[in-house]
Amino acid sequence: MLTGSNANSIYDSIAGTNKKMLDELNNELSKKYKSEAYTFHSLVDYDDFISGVEQAIELHSINLTVIGTNGATGAKEVIFGSNTLQLIRSVNCPVLTVPENYSFSSIKNMLFSIQKSNDPFATKVDIIKNMLKMHPCNLKVLELSGNITTSLDREDSETIKALFPNQAYEYYFLNTDLGLTAINTATQLLKIDLHAVYSEKETFIKRLLYGSEVSRLSYDTLVPLLFL
């Protein structure tokens, strides 16, 4: 049985080094970006990854979570998920994934991809609107549908117009599912700098039988990808 002092000693020995490194990084970033309109704060939590992030989101009223991806793939990643995939699937907060070795450039074109069957995304676009205020750029909306037997209007719906009543945007339509090839093709052709996508939660059975579209998107995207 551990006493309070022993428990604290174990915590300090495990988290102390990481906390020191994080504090040093925090100080470095604070000095480097001291003229910017934001501040840095370091947090250390002795917990599993997802639980720690969820607690931080709740405690500090976090609006956006940012995490890097390293391009690792494989059956284990597809089924069980890396930290990035677990974050996308689990937390009730938009997640911005940044590809490994990606170099920041100013945002000139933002892409918002949706599927014809997606209705719940209407409550998720506030983060996009806030980003557009901070980084004025061209907004492009890409609507996808894999139902080739249905005749669909090639103009944006009233639902999409209602989402961005005061924001000019360009509308595009593709008669295909939300897949990596379609997304990366659109990203290149439209010269996209930031891509936002509404992703429905995937069940374990679906991932086991069919693989994970979210994993393919998060690992192989060409630009930062925002999961709503």
Side-chain angles (χ1 to χ4, degrees):
M1 181 175 181
L2 293 175
T3 64
S5 59
N6 288 335
N8 290 338
S9 298
I10 293 175
Y11 171 83
D12 291 339
S13 64
I14 294 175
T17 301
N18 290 335
K19 185 177 186 304
K20 181 180 178 182
M21 294 174 61
L22 190 60
D23 287 341
E24 290 175 352
L25 177 61
N26 181 66
N27 292 333
E28 179 183 338
L29 293 175
S30 296
K31 292 178 181 178
K32 185 175 181 179
Y33 299 102
K34 62 181 179 180
S35 61
E36 300 292 344
Y38 49 79
T39 56
F40 295 90
H41 302 274
S42 57
L43 298 173
V44 176
D45 191 358
Y46 185 52
D47 207 337
D48 68 89
F49 180 71
I50 296 301
S51 296
V53 173
E54 289 178 331
Q55 291 170 19
I57 290 173
E58 179 68 22
L59 182 62
H60 300 280
S61 301
I62 302 298
N63 304 114
L64 176 66
T65 304
V66 182
I67 188 170
T69 61
N70 59 13
T73 58
K76 182 179 180 181
E77 294 289 349
V78 170
I79 296 173
F80 297 102
S82 64
N83 285 337
T84 301
L85 293 180
Q86 291 182 49
L87 201 64
I88 296 170
R89 292 168 178 152
S90 302
V91 302
N92 186 27
C93 178
V95 177
L96 177 63
T97 63
V98 181
E100 186 178 22
N101 299 322
Y102 177 80
S103 297
F104 175 78
S105 60
S106 60
I107 302 173
K108 297 178 181 178
N109 296 297
M110 181 189 299
L111 178 65
F112 177 37
S113 295
I114 60 175
Q115 290 179 289
K116 198 70 176 181
S117 60
N118 287 344
D119 289 328
F121 61 78
T123 60
K124 303 282 187 176
V125 299
D126 284 347
I127 187 69
I128 296 179
K129 294 177 180 179
N130 290 334
M131 285 184 171
L132 289 170
K133 290 179 181 179
M134 295 175 61
H135 303 279
C137 63
N138 299 317
L139 175 63
K140 303 173 189 292
V141 178
L142 175 64
E143 191 165 13
L144 305 104
S145 174
N147 188 356
I148 61 176
T149 62
T150 302
S151 176
L152 298 172
D153 293 333
R154 300 304 175 93
E155 296 182 357
D156 51 334
S157 65
E158 293 301 320
T159 300
I160 299 176
K161 292 178 181 178
L163 291 177
F164 304 102
N166 302 312
Q167 175 68 46
Y169 62 87
E170 299 174 20
Y171 174 82
Y172 299 87
F173 176 87
L174 279 177
N175 199 4
T176 185
D177 289 317
L178 181 61
L180 179 63
T181 301
I183 293 303
N184 279 345
T185 299
T187 297
Q188 292 177 306
L189 291 177
L190 300 176
K191 300 180 179 180
I192 299 303
D193 303 299
L194 175 64
H195 181 194
V197 58
Y198 175 79
S199 175
E200 296 181 8
K201 301 298 182 182
E202 298 173 310
T203 65
F204 174 83
I205 296 299
K206 181 179 178 181
R207 297 200 303 273
L208 180 63
L209 296 177
Y210 305 109
S212 170
E213 196 60 56
V214 169
S215 69
R216 286 186 282 269
L217 288 174
S218 63
Y219 284 137
D220 297 317
T221 179
L222 301 175
V223 298
L225 183 58
L226 174 64
F227 289 90
L228 302 179

